[in-house]
Amino acid sequence: RGVILRLYPGKYSERVVVPATLAGLTIERGQPETGAADSNDPVVVEHRTTSPYEATFEAAPGCTGLTLRNLTIRHSSPSVANNYAVFATEGSGVSLEGCDVSSETGSGVVGEGAT
């Protein structure tokens, strides 16, 4: 059984590369305390960059069993290739559950030799 990382509602301006050593990781929307003002707000993970070839979430080779759950994932990058919001590299595996994924400049989700 893997590690669960819970993100609380809000906007996270990050690029997340998950290495093979964290295979089985789940990243999901955490639930704030009952009655919290932001309890219905989404978790938005966004990577807007001027650097090419950077996905918002990337599963490194050998990172299997990565699960992204109930997240809003946004991306923007100037590259014309390898321009993805979620990128599963060769030998990795990613599952998305209840996610809203988009890239302003490329593809939402791509797997190259991945499961």
Side-chain angles (χ1 to χ4, degrees), residues 21-91:
T21 55
L22 288 177
L25 175 67
T26 296
I27 302 173
E28 65 182 16
R29 181 188 187 281
Q31 187 60 42
E33 294 180 25
T34 304
D38 61 0
S39 63
N40 292 320
D41 290 345
V43 170
V44 179
V45 182
E46 174 179 85
H47 184 57
R48 297 182 187 283
T49 181
T50 58
S51 299
Y53 315 117
E54 292 185 353
T56 305
F57 280 96
E58 181 175 325
C63 178
T64 57
L66 173 61
T67 300
L68 304 176
R69 183 179 296 132
N70 299 324
L71 305 175
T72 300
I73 302 167
R74 298 291 180 255
H75 171 266
S76 179
S77 167
S79 62
V80 294
N82 295 349
N83 195 7
Y84 321 122
V86 177
F87 182 31
T89 62
E90 186 170 349

